[in-house]
Amino acid sequence: MTRAPRLSPGAPAPATADRLTAGGPSEPGTARIAVDLLGGDDAPAVVVDGALRAVRTDPALHLMLVGPIEVADELIGALDPAQRARVTVRPVRTAVGMADHPTAARGESTVRTAVQAVRDGLADAVVSAGSTGATVTAAALGLGRWTGIRRPALAATLPAVEGPVVLLDVGGTLEPGPATLARHALLGAAYASVAHAVTAPRVGLLSVGLETGKGDRLRRVAAPALAAAPLPCDGRYVGLVEGYDISLGTRADVVVTDGFTGNVLLKAIEGAYAMAGGPPSRGGAPRAAALLGVGGTVVVCHGAAGSEDVASGIALAAHLWRRDAAGTVRALLADIPHDLAPDRHDTEVAP
Amino acid sequence: MTRAPRLSPGAPAPATADRLTAGGPSEPGTARIAVDLLGGDDAPAVVVDGALRAVRTDPALHLMLVGPIEVADELIGALDPAQRARVTVRPVRTAVGMADHPTAARGESTVRTAVQAVRDGLADAVVSAGSTGATVTAAALGLGRWTGIRRPALAATLPAVEGPVVLLDVGGTLEPGPATLARHALLGAAYASVAHAVTAPRVGLLSVGLETGKGDRLRRVAAPALAAAPLPCDGRYVGLVEGYDISLGTRADVVVTDGFTGNVLLKAIEGAYAMAGGPPSRGGAPRAAALLGVGGTVVVCHGAAGSEDVASGIALAAHLWRRDAAGTVRALLADIPHDLAPDRHDTEVAP
């Protein structure tokens, strides 16, 4: 495996958030990305188009196309002969549908095969725009979960007025308990530092007001758990934050919430940009997010992803692999005592 | 009491949503609004300024100022002598702070006195930018709740690409059960028709995807309850909707969610508009919402309301009173059998 040298957390990644959104120059190092050709509402067309964009933009990118051979052939046929050497195919005909139960990912499917390729060392990362629940299930089963992280989190990075904001969870774990929110605070602080070079990340818990005690039962129990969480990378808990803070970035660099709220929020911000006449110049709401807490690099694209979104998801996966983000975040968390109580309030990943 | 004639639901209210945001010409009929001078982060200054704007804009508006006499005096002193006749004062020195428990509203306070003025027929509506929990508590205790509505809902009307969208709840009931969400669907449909002249309102349940079964436990149980709810005003349930739909309005006119999610969403949309360079021309996220389910007209302004927000909250209260929105919505719901099971999952209004 070719891998870029490990970067220490906090090392500068020039204009990372902007680059991920806009698709700028690529970082050095080969990255082999397994792409689920059948994931997403508009698959395979937009996935093919997105993969083509990604291959043409990043000369060190290799793709493993997981899906029907004829779809892969169409993609390969559209490439210059020199680029074709960077594409391989894993023929699979079955996909998990958006309306299927996530456990369908246990059977033969494009997303499961893509995850297995990472497990077997044949690819460095997975990108899918299919059902989030199915991808989370396939990744947790195929790659395992980190010690102390029972519930993975999907982390989305939003351009904000005062710098990028990492919002998590945006749909990995719809119904976390307070201990899971505290663990996600650790994940978010480490991820902001490693993936986006945020120094001493400020971590806030999303609620309906800033004053101590504001919120529902989950937030009232979670707030002291976050305050007590040993945040890595000189992270510090700044208390409760509100909905504005996600797009402002004034109070926090990392905003922690449950996967249900995070998912509807991310889409609401996207809708607001549409209402405002288009996304701001620094980029709109991202349509690709990193799955944290599983043993590998996994990027989930929005089900309604367009080809640009798929391309930016592939670029994000390559970026995370090249920085060894998953390994570094995992190592940062391994240094922290896992004496937090198990979270009995958690429920299984829902569809 | 002077009251505008009762309007049948669905009767046109010209450009209502725009008018509420922009502050256009007022509707006929005296409206006597009790204003909580001490409610809000920047009270009393912004409340005084907002009340001045409202009095000057709407010649049929009467205000009852509830708060310290010297604050009321300052406001009255700033008015033309002819306008002063439309202002009365109820001296109260104690307010419920933003960090206080909502039950503090049971004691002597500006918001409680304002609610009592409505109960006693001395005012037609209440406007407060104080703690939402305290206002909901004061209103539920002082004015009573409608039959069949155990948990009031705060309804905010957002300008959207395809017409106004009523989002509820935005913070009245942070942790509703499924039966409460179904009741809020009824409230929302009636309110969209009565207050905003939406014909045959389409009602959606906010979730993380459109496919049946998407969402957390609450959404999975609530969806069939909403599908079975006898929506008034020819309303119909359109199934699950997503975050985008709040600012797009393509799929639904009424979006139902829990008060926690609705509150953070509304503020996230406001933050997104700030990031996008300012609110869209048709108006940004509202900072005043109607409390539905209590026996009177109550408008809650955002804690961080500015003077324009307070003025638009007063205008909204006058509009709702002149249309007899509370009475009409209540009557529409009274026609519907209350055989829905009581909601054991509900919890008390939280701070």
Side-chain angles (χ1 to χ4, degrees):
Chain A
M1 283 190 284
T2 310
R3 170 176 285 189
R6 220 173 242 226
L7 297 173
S8 59
T16 298
D18 288 350
R19 195 188 65 75
L20 293 178
T21 311
S26 62
E27 293 158 307
T30 303
R32 302 168 307 159
I33 314 296
V35 177
D36 174 2
L37 289 179
L38 295 183
D41 299 339
D42 300 315
V46 298
V47 183
V48 167
D49 196 34
L52 282 172
R53 289 173 183 241
V55 169
R56 289 169 178 153
T57 305
D58 181 349
L61 186 72
H62 290 235
L63 292 189
M64 173 186 283
L65 306 176
V66 185
I69 191 82
E70 65 275 15
V71 174
D73 272 350
E74 182 199 333
L75 190 156
I76 292 169
L79 288 171
D80 293 338
Q83 293 167 334
R84 288 176 195 165
R86 293 192 278 119
V87 178
T88 57
V89 181
R90 288 293 292 270
V92 181
R93 302 209 71 82
T94 321
V96 181
M98 297 304 274
D100 289 340
H101 196 272
T103 51
R106 290 177 185 160
E108 165 84 357
S109 64
T110 46
V111 69
R112 183 175 167 227
T113 302
V115 165
Q116 283 171 336
V118 171
R119 185 197 61 196
D120 298 339
L122 302 171
D124 301 324
V126 180
V127 174
S128 177
S131 151
T132 300
T135 305
V136 174
T137 301
L141 291 174
L143 303 172
R145 287 170 288 196
W146 303 347
T147 308
I149 303 294
R150 218 173 119 212
R151 305 287 170 204
L154 261 182
T157 305
L158 291 93
V161 174
E162 302 199 11
V165 169
V166 172
L167 174 66
L168 81 170
D169 180 20
V170 298
T173 301
L174 295 185
E175 294 178 88
T180 290
L181 289 181
R183 288 192 179 86
H184 288 181
L186 304 179
L187 287 175
Y191 182 74
S193 174
V194 173
H196 301 297
V198 175
T199 51
R202 300 162 299 161
V203 178
L205 176 64
L206 187 66
S207 194
V208 299
L210 301 176
E211 299 85 358
T212 301
K214 290 276 180 189
D216 56 6
R217 277 173 299 190
L218 174 60
R219 274 22 88 155
R220 293 199 298 274
V221 179
L226 264 76
L231 296 175
C233 308
D234 298 324
R236 65 189 172 89
Y237 176 63
V238 296
L240 302 181
V241 298
E242 294 183 280
Y244 326 101
D245 294 303
I246 298 164
S247 295
L248 298 182
T250 320
R251 287 200 184 93
D253 307 298
V254 177
V255 173
V256 177
T257 191
D258 62 279
F260 180 86
T261 304
N263 186 283
V264 296
L265 268 178
L266 191 61
K267 293 171 181 170
I269 289 170
E270 188 175 325
Y273 288 149
M275 173 70 181
S281 56
R282 268 176 288 179
R287 288 187 140 196
L291 185 63
L292 304 177
V294 297
T297 302
V298 179
V299 166
V300 175
C301 293
H302 195 298
S307 55
E308 278 188 44
D309 304 318
V310 171
S312 87
I314 294 171
L316 173 61
H319 167 72
L320 296 176
W321 165 254
R322 286 166 176 149
R323 290 184 81 82
D324 188 22
T328 309
V329 170
R330 181 183 197 158
L332 283 165
L333 265 64
D335 295 341
I336 287 170
H338 291 293
D339 57 356
L340 300 169
D343 202 331
R344 293 184 188 174
H345 300 280
D346 283 337
T347 54
E348 291 299 321
V349 171
Chain B
M1 283 190 282
T2 309
R3 170 176 285 189
R6 220 173 243 226
L7 298 173
S8 58
T16 296
D18 288 350
R19 195 190 66 75
L20 292 178
T21 311
S26 61
E27 294 157 307
T30 303
R32 303 167 306 159
I33 314 296
V35 177
D36 174 3
L37 288 179
L38 295 183
D41 298 340
D42 301 314
V46 297
V47 182
V48 167
D49 196 33
L52 282 172
R53 287 171 184 242
V55 169
R56 288 168 178 155
T57 306
D58 180 349
L61 186 73
H62 291 234
L63 292 189
M64 172 186 283
L65 307 175
V66 185
I69 192 82
E70 65 274 17
V71 174
D73 272 349
E74 182 198 334
L75 190 157
I76 292 168
L79 288 172
D80 292 338
Q83 293 167 334
R84 289 177 194 163
R86 294 192 277 120
V87 178
T88 58
V89 182
R90 288 291 294 269
V92 181
R93 302 209 69 84
T94 320
V96 181
M98 296 303 273
D100 289 340
H101 195 273
T103 51
R106 289 175 186 161
E108 166 83 358
S109 64
T110 47
V111 68
R112 183 175 168 226
T113 303
V115 164
Q116 285 172 334
V118 171
R119 185 197 62 196
D120 298 340
L122 302 171
D124 301 323
V126 179
V127 174
S128 177
S131 152
T132 300
T135 305
V136 174
T137 300
L141 291 174
L143 303 172
R145 286 171 288 196
W146 302 347
T147 308
I149 304 292
R150 217 173 121 212
R151 305 286 169 205
L154 261 183
T157 305
L158 291 92
V161 174
E162 301 199 11
V165 169
V166 172
L167 175 66
L168 78 169
D169 178 23
V170 298
T173 301
L174 295 185
E175 294 178 87
T180 290
L181 289 181
R183 288 193 178 84
H184 288 180
L186 305 178
L187 287 175
Y191 181 74
S193 173
V194 173
H196 300 297
V198 175
T199 51
R202 300 161 299 161
V203 178
L205 176 64
L206 187 66
S207 194
V208 297
L210 301 175
E211 299 85 357
T212 301
K214 290 275 180 190
D216 57 5
R217 278 173 299 190
L218 174 60
R219 273 24 87 153
R220 291 199 299 276
V221 179
L226 264 75
L231 297 174
C233 307
D234 296 323
R236 65 187 171 91
Y237 176 63
V238 296
L240 301 181
V241 298
E242 295 183 280
Y244 326 101
D245 294 303
I246 298 163
S247 294
L248 298 182
T250 319
R251 287 201 184 92
D253 307 300
V254 177
V255 173
V256 177
T257 192
D258 61 279
F260 180 87
T261 304
N263 187 283
V264 296
L265 268 177
L266 191 62
K267 293 171 180 170
I269 290 170
E270 188 175 326
Y273 288 149
M275 173 69 182
S281 56
R282 269 177 289 179
R287 289 188 140 195
L291 185 64
L292 305 177
V294 297
T297 301
V298 179
V299 167
V300 176
C301 292
H302 195 299
S307 56
E308 278 187 43
D309 305 317
V310 171
S312 86
I314 294 171
L316 173 61
H319 167 74
L320 296 176
W321 165 255
R322 286 166 175 149
R323 290 184 80 82
D324 188 22
T328 309
V329 170
R330 181 184 197 158
L332 283 164
L333 266 64
D335 295 341
I336 288 170
H338 292 292
D339 57 356
L340 301 167
D343 202 331
R344 293 182 189 177
H345 301 280
D346 284 338
T347 54
E348 291 299 322
V349 171

